[in-house]
Amino acid sequence: MSDDTAVLVIVDGANVIGSVPDGWWRDRHGAAVRLRDALVPYATDGLPGLPGPVELVLVVEGAARGVASVAGVRVDSAPGSGDDLIAELAKAAAPERDCVVVTADRGLRQRVEAYGARCVGPRTVRPLPPA
């Protein structure tokens, strides 16, 4: 369900999952499910410096395709490049609504910022576990 007044937060699933070396490569689909579930509270609570509610979209690709959406987090499976789908979503949102993309990918950041999206890093939604 879309709320065109809420900030659109698009999460680069592959980039965020890959930001923590926790064995995700052994089960990419499972890692995407765990990320999706961890994102749920952000839908109502918002992100640091961005009060909720927000509309959350998790973009997955490759072996993570097919992860189902849940209440609070829509999951979009990219038919090809996840970056291309993220850029399309950011372009479609601009300039009518505020859009934030969660990624550390410099090339993707440049693409979506050209459409007016803001970017934040993966630690915004996936803090490093305590040492």
Side-chain angles (χ1 to χ4, degrees):
M1 174 153 76
S2 173
D3 177 0
D4 290 341
T5 62
V7 174
L8 175 63
V9 177
I10 305 168
V11 179
D12 179 351
N15 188 265
V16 172
I17 289 167
S19 70
V20 177
D22 61 0
W24 59 263
W25 51 89
R26 291 188 294 270
D27 180 10
R28 293 169 194 257
H29 189 273
V33 168
R34 288 188 299 279
L35 175 58
R36 177 206 60 198
D37 294 348
L39 293 172
V40 171
Y42 293 111
T44 54
D45 299 344
L47 303 174
L50 182 65
V54 299
E55 180 184 354
L56 266 166
V57 178
L58 171 61
V59 174
V60 296
E61 61 186 309
R65 285 188 196 111
V67 171
S69 297
V70 295
V73 181
R74 184 179 94 212
V75 181
D76 285 357
S77 293
S81 163
D83 289 4
D84 289 346
L85 179 55
I86 292 166
E88 288 174 26
L89 292 170
K91 183 178 181 180
E96 288 80 27
R97 70 190 288 202
D98 195 10
C99 178
V100 175
V101 175
V102 182
T103 188
D105 181 312
R106 288 184 204 163
L108 179 58
R109 282 177 173 251
Q110 290 176 337
R111 287 175 70 183
V112 300
E113 286 172 349
Y115 300 126
R118 293 181 288 137
C119 294
V120 296
R123 289 186 186 175
T124 305
V125 297
R126 191 166 185 198
L128 289 173

